[in-house]
Amino acid sequence: MKSRLRAFAYRTFYRLPGRWKRRIVRTFQPTYTIGSVILVRDPEATSILLLRQPPGAGWSLPAGLMDRGETPVQTAARELAEETGIKLPTERFRAANPNAVVHTRGQWVDMVFETEVEPADSYTVDAAEVLEAAWHRLDTLPPLTVSTSRLLAHYGIGPYKDYPEVLNK
């Protein structure tokens, strides 16, 4: 009986106009927000660029949400320029491994990219969004936000790098 009911539901669904089917699917399927995160390292890969953002409880990576019509790598380039003043062509970004980190509890996906730049003494930060941008050695990182610590663990960096259970959350 259950399989017959299910078959009937599918046949009915597939007969609906496309507009109705999309609305039904969007109503019942979980949606995810897509963002880009950038791991900016120095050429020797000993330091990483971090941001301190309001309220300033911890340091994080340059990141932001995709705009409509943007690709993830375009988002990465735009966010890095907006938050630090570092303007790089998209060709300078490469997909990190893993490239996508899915956060099922918060229902968002971080598309992670890597790039290298020469460290500068100061950066032009977006004062509304960023309090400070600074380089930090990988072996002496400052206090990080929890989400940044978890994300960096995927790349063998930070306080959670030796805790595999963090990667499963």
Side-chain angles (χ1 to χ4, degrees), residues 28-95:
F28 293 103
Q29 279 296 102
T31 58
Y32 281 79
T33 302
I34 309 292
S36 287
V37 178
I38 309 97
L39 293 170
V40 184
R41 301 177 200 244
D42 66 328
E44 291 80 37
T46 58
S47 298
I48 191 167
L49 182 65
L50 295 172
L51 308 177
R52 196 168 58 82
Q53 297 177 294
W59 290 79
S60 60
L61 295 165
L65 299 177
M66 284 177 55
D67 286 342
R68 187 173 299 277
E70 245 181 353
T71 64
V73 72
Q74 289 170 332
T75 301
R78 177 181 52 78
E79 287 293 336
L80 185 62
E82 286 177 6
E83 294 180 349
T84 67
I86 299 172
K87 295 178 181 164
L88 299 174
T90 56
E91 298 79 32
R92 291 274 310 271
F93 295 85
R94 65 184 177 286

Side-chain angles (χ1 to χ4, degrees), residues 16-167:
L16 294 172
R19 177 174 75 236
W20 293 9
K21 287 189 284 190
R22 281 189 296 280
R23 180 165 287 178
I24 290 169
V25 168
R26 288 182 182 140
T27 300
F28 293 103
Q29 279 296 102
T31 58
Y32 281 79
T33 302
I34 309 292
S36 287
V37 178
I38 309 97
L39 293 170
V40 184
R41 301 177 200 244
D42 66 328
E44 291 80 37
T46 58
S47 298
I48 191 167
L49 182 65
L50 295 172
L51 308 177
R52 196 168 58 82
Q53 297 177 294
W59 290 79
S60 60
L61 295 165
L65 299 177
M66 284 177 55
D67 286 342
R68 187 173 299 277
E70 245 181 353
T71 64
V73 72
Q74 289 170 332
T75 301
R78 177 181 52 78
E79 287 293 336
L80 185 62
E82 286 177 6
E83 294 180 349
T84 67
I86 299 172
K87 295 178 181 164
L88 299 174
T90 56
E91 298 79 32
R92 291 274 310 271
F93 295 85
R94 65 184 177 286
N97 186 11
N99 180 228
V101 177
V102 180
H103 307 275
T104 55
R105 286 193 178 156
Q107 291 188 278
W108 82 89
V109 178
D110 283 327
M111 302 299 295
V112 185
F113 295 91
E114 296 180 298
T115 192
E116 289 83 25
V117 298
E118 287 292 335
D121 292 331
S122 66
Y123 293 95
T124 307
V125 298
D126 174 1
E129 196 176 346
V130 178
L131 300 173
E132 173 181 14
W135 288 93
H136 296 276
R137 291 188 49 81
L138 293 174
D139 56 358
T140 57
L141 291 174
L144 303 170
T145 63
V146 173
S147 59
T148 299
S149 296
R150 287 187 172 151
L151 188 127
L152 286 174
H154 288 275
Y155 307 97
I157 302 170
Y160 296 157
K161 68 181 178 185
D162 296 323
Y163 298 93
E165 62 272 15
V166 170
L167 301 178

